[in-house]
Amino acid sequence: MEKIKETKAQSKRGLWKPEEDLILKNYVETHGEGNWGTVSKRSGLMRGGKSCRLRWKNYLRPNIKRGGMSQEEEDLIIRMHKLLGNRWSLIAGRLPGRTDNEVKNYWNTHLNKKNLLGKRKTIDSNKQHIDNEDNIEKQDRRKPSQPHKSQSIFSTSPERTTDEGLMDLDEKKQQVKEESSFTDGTWMEGAVQCFNYDYDYDIDMIGTPLMMMNPDYSNFVFDEGPFTSYMDSFVLFEAFGTDSDHVGIQSFLP
DNA sequence: AAGGACACCAACCGCTTTCCA
DNA sequence: ATGGAAAGCGGTTGGTGTCCT
């Protein structure tokens, strides 16, 4: 414990200076990545290993892309997030040159507010909804040249009725399809393309079960699904069962 | 011009997972 | 099988710049 305190106290914190970047870059290029704990000692940087690792990973690594996200990247993030939730490293893995930290920040600052704005109102979230709207308005005043490019993705969800349980399956499928459509009218296409996977999906195979796993949330996530850990190497997943109350997902590994 | 409010984003924190002796 | 170190990850914080009043 004392050792930890000592190390923390000795570690320099805050923004990295260009000369520190240079030292770290030279060190890693000479000695390779890894053993970050020893990097600070050997390189002379008074930084913690974690800090060095993060700095390298997020900024100094070759092929890191800096600057604003393109429209394509933004769309991909939205689609991937719809599919994976806050799995930033997985999402970033599909955006060459982008880091999980960057994707996360971009989501939280640019995309999440649009998402919240589009969420349907509930009794408790009413105030939040209004607050978000207010924030967007303020942002618009500040940056009138930046339109909300993807806002329509999240603003099309209809109010969900309380007698939803009585809806027949076809009706439910249609609603699911409408709620999860992207701006271009495709459904899950982006997610499928993300995995370089050309598959003739249909709503029965993928959409309905997924949405039913979390029927109250149009921006669905994979909650604790055992298959999610295979997403990155994912080749095929398939729903089995047609009973709306007992559907599941089965994953197939390569 | 000055100060407050806000957005952005780099960096940090703490927990979890993986690796290895 | 186990424990410690390293790495990975997502959430959060805090500094800085910009805009508004």
Side-chain angles (χ1 to χ4, degrees), chain A residues 7-63:
Chain A
T7 309
K8 271 194 171 182
Q10 283 175 347
S11 295
K12 192 182 171 192
R13 298 175 58 181
L15 296 179
W16 280 67
K17 294 195 176 87
E19 53 265 34
E20 290 179 299
D21 283 345
L22 195 63
I23 292 170
L24 181 60
K25 197 162 186 281
N26 287 338
Y27 184 90
V28 175
E29 280 170 358
T30 307
H31 299 91
E33 291 182 52
N35 291 318
W36 295 106
T38 63
V39 169
S40 57
K41 292 175 196 161
R42 293 190 178 179
S43 66
L45 286 166
M46 301 303 286
R47 297 272 183 174
K50 246 181 167 181
S51 182
C52 292
R53 185 180 64 82
L54 215 59
R55 186 65 184 174
W56 173 257
K57 196 183 144 206
N58 289 339
Y59 288 89
L60 303 176
R61 220 166 22 128
N63 304 323

Side-chain angles (χ1 to χ4, degrees), chain A residues 117-152:
Chain A
L117 177 64
K119 269 187 184 173
R120 68 181 67 80
K121 292 177 189 177
T122 64
I123 294 167
D124 290 339
S125 65
N126 217 354
K127 188 180 177 298
Q128 190 187 1
H129 174 86
I130 292 163
D131 288 345
N132 281 321
E133 218 163 22
D134 190 40
N135 278 343
I136 293 289
E137 263 180 29
K138 281 175 184 168
Q139 193 192 4
D140 277 352
R141 275 206 305 274
R142 291 185 60 196
K143 296 184 178 178
S145 61
Q146 293 183 346
H148 298 127
K149 288 176 264 186
S150 304
Q151 194 167 319
S152 61

Side-chain angles (χ1 to χ4, degrees), chain A residues 206-241:
Chain A
I206 301 172
T208 304
L210 287 178
M211 294 306 293
M212 285 179 179
M213 287 166 75
N214 202 346
D216 252 336
Y217 193 40
S218 62
N219 187 13
F220 66 85
V221 295
F222 291 102
D223 279 332
E224 316 221 326
F227 49 84
T228 56
S229 59
Y230 304 123
M231 276 302 183
D232 208 34
S233 56
F234 157 128
V235 168
L236 172 65
F237 64 92
E238 179 180 307
F240 58 86

